[in-house]
Amino acid sequence: MPKMPIEIVFDSKIFSADAILGACHKFLAKCFITLEHSEDGKRIIASLTAREGVSAEGLEDEFRAETLNYAVKQKINKGSAKIRDQIFHIVFNPERLNALGGQLQTELETKADPDSVKLSARLEKLLEEIESEESMGYEEDPLGIAVPWEEKHGMPGDLLHPVDQLKRQAENNLINIETVKEIVDC
Amino acid sequence: MSTVEFDKKIFAMKAVKSAVKDYKDFANFDVTERKDRIVVKIDNIDYEPKEVFLGEFGNYVIHKMSVRQ
């Protein structure tokens, strides 16, 4: 049994044919669609016949929502068309892009925030310092990092001769005193 | 013979002719203009059921219109 078409009527002052066509395109897989103007030409009538195996339930609401979506998109596109064209014109015109870049840089320099100016001056100074330090040779070693510890501070106080170390261990009963004597006599 | 009509305020002749060109292997088409409508007469449809063929053709014209946008 053939399915009954669902008729959806749109006011052509609110919804353009293009917006309705855009919505139709999304529903081609779900239903067969015909579009025509009413006799007075003030309305556009969309007839939707669900395809075999597709439920007609909720189809009308979905279609209305999609049409509204397309109508809003179209309105936004129309409103921003001029700006979009200008952006494309600038982007694809290198001379204009460079001129605009230079103008923007000048504006940024003249309208700069005093705090950011201070900060950038400080950063520049720091960078200069780093660069001047980098230019210094590693052999100069102003902090004496390469000097051995013993040379700088001398021998550590508790660094004993091996025999004295053995004697101290014997005093602390860590090793046998007789053994130490034997070693020392040798 | 079957007839499918398109509103000239909504559909462009170019889109209808392009769809006919793509469907010509499945049927014979005759496209004419009448007042505010584009009339497509379709004969010798080599597809069953014929209603589905006509629906598919109408949808294809809508697709062609959307692509043109």
Side-chain angles (χ1 to χ4, degrees):
Chain A
M1 186 181 165
K3 290 183 180 177
M4 289 296 290
I6 304 164
E7 281 202 348
I8 307 169
V9 183
F10 295 98
D11 188 333
S12 56
K13 277 185 191 167
I14 302 168
F15 298 95
S16 69
D18 286 346
I20 299 169
L21 274 168
C24 285
H25 196 257
K26 278 213 159 183
F27 282 77
L28 295 180
K30 286 184 181 175
C31 47
F32 298 118
I33 307 169
T34 62
L35 286 177
E36 59 185 343
H37 274 90
S38 61
E39 280 182 19
D40 59 5
K42 289 178 182 174
R43 290 179 294 273
I44 296 174
I45 303 159
S47 295
L48 276 63
T49 310
R51 283 177 184 266
E52 199 65 44
V54 176
S55 168
E57 203 179 333
L59 209 60
E60 184 179 343
D61 291 341
E62 275 180 52
F63 190 80
R64 281 188 187 281
E66 198 58 46
T67 309
L68 193 63
N69 186 24
Y70 267 87
V72 172
K73 265 188 197 171
Q74 209 176 36
K75 201 173 178 183
I76 292 168
N77 279 344
K78 216 174 175 180
S80 60
K82 206 173 175 183
I83 299 167
R84 201 174 52 237
D85 289 348
Q86 281 178 344
I87 291 169
F88 278 116
H89 179 71
I90 291 165
V91 168
F92 292 108
N93 187 347
E95 282 176 18
R96 183 114 168 73
L97 190 65
N98 288 339
L100 202 74
Q103 190 186 334
L104 195 66
Q105 197 175 359
T106 315
E107 275 179 24
L108 281 172
E109 280 167 6
T110 52
K111 291 179 185 173
D113 174 28
D115 287 341
S116 65
V117 170
K118 272 185 204 168
L119 189 70
S120 62
R122 207 173 147 196
L123 280 170
E124 272 177 30
K125 206 175 170 184
L126 276 169
L127 278 170
E128 278 172 20
E129 278 176 24
I130 292 166
E131 278 169 12
S132 66
E133 278 171 14
E134 277 174 0
S135 62
M136 195 187 287
Y138 72 94
E139 288 164 349
E140 289 178 23
D141 193 19
L143 297 175
I145 295 165
V147 180
W149 195 88
E150 288 83 0
E151 274 181 37
K152 250 198 248 179
H153 305 285
M155 289 293 279
D158 61 344
L159 196 65
L160 297 170
H161 188 274
V163 175
D164 295 330
Q165 279 183 34
L166 284 171
K167 280 179 183 172
R168 188 178 281 183
Q169 283 174 2
E171 280 166 16
N172 293 331
N173 295 323
L174 293 172
I175 52 171
N176 190 354
I177 188 72
E178 296 302 323
T179 317
V180 174
K181 277 179 185 171
E182 277 173 25
I183 294 167
V184 172
D185 290 342
C186 285
Chain B
M1 181 184 288
S2 306
T3 305
V4 183
E5 294 189 11
F6 297 96
D7 190 331
K8 270 166 81 174
K9 285 182 199 161
I10 300 171
F11 296 94
M13 179 58 110
K14 213 173 175 180
V16 177
K17 282 191 173 171
S18 175
V20 166
K21 195 179 167 190
D22 293 344
Y23 268 67
K24 70 177 187 324
D25 291 342
F26 301 99
N28 296 329
F29 294 88
D30 179 37
V31 184
T32 52
E33 283 185 74
R34 194 179 63 205
K35 271 180 97 180
D36 54 352
R37 306 184 86 76
I38 298 165
V39 182
V40 184
K41 288 177 183 166
I42 308 169
D43 206 1
N44 297 327
I45 298 170
D46 187 18
Y47 190 91
E48 287 295 339
K50 286 187 173 56
E51 291 73 29
V52 171
F53 179 84
L54 298 174
E56 291 290 2
F57 177 71
N59 275 10
Y60 194 60
V61 175
I62 290 174
H63 163 74
K64 286 281 177 185
M65 283 299 296
S66 305
V67 170
R68 279 167 58 85
Q69 279 178 39

